Amino acid sequence: MRRLLRLVLPLLPLAFPAGTALAGGPKADCTREPQAHWMSREAISRKAVAAGYPDIRHIIVIGSCYEIEALTVRHLQADVVMDPMTGDVVAASMSNGPQR
């Protein structure tokens, strides 16, 4: 599993081009369902950990999406936008900037 993550994580920025909607952008639109039907913050946190973001720092709502600030397994800072109904990663950006 770790070997797979080492192969996949560096490729994530290529999978989500610069035009992809990230948090704060006008296209932070994941669902039309009301928040009462969304996954809980605990459930979305578990999904983020399973997706390769083991150190969750913040979870906020942007538009109709969850945005998770986390550190990757390689200690890169990540901003991850997740669909609140399915827990799927919609967009992600990573940097090796300052870690809070």
Side-chain angles (χ1 to χ4, degrees):
M1 182 66 168
R2 286 182 185 213
R3 181 181 229 175
L4 177 64
L5 285 174
R6 274 188 253 144
L7 293 171
V8 172
L9 284 176
L11 300 175
L12 281 177
L14 298 175
F16 300 103
T20 303
L22 287 176
K27 295 183 180 181
D29 189 22
C30 295
T31 185
R32 292 180 186 220
E33 292 292 327
Q35 283 189 8
H37 297 154
W38 289 12
M39 296 175 74
S40 68
R41 289 177 185 263
E42 292 79 20
I44 205 74
S45 178
R46 286 191 300 272
K47 285 279 201 170
V49 168
Y53 307 99
D55 190 355
I56 307 299
R57 300 297 174 101
H58 300 286
I59 299 174
I60 59 174
V61 174
I62 300 290
S64 62
C65 304
Y66 277 124
E67 179 185 335
I68 290 88
E69 285 185 23
L71 295 180
T72 66
V73 175
R74 298 176 68 199
H75 303 288
L76 298 174
Q77 185 172 332
D79 290 317
V80 184
V81 178
M82 299 182 80
D83 183 306
M85 296 300 294
T86 64
D88 293 338
V89 174
V90 174
S93 66
M94 286 177 257
S95 68
N96 36 347
Q99 300 167 0
R100 294 176 249 173

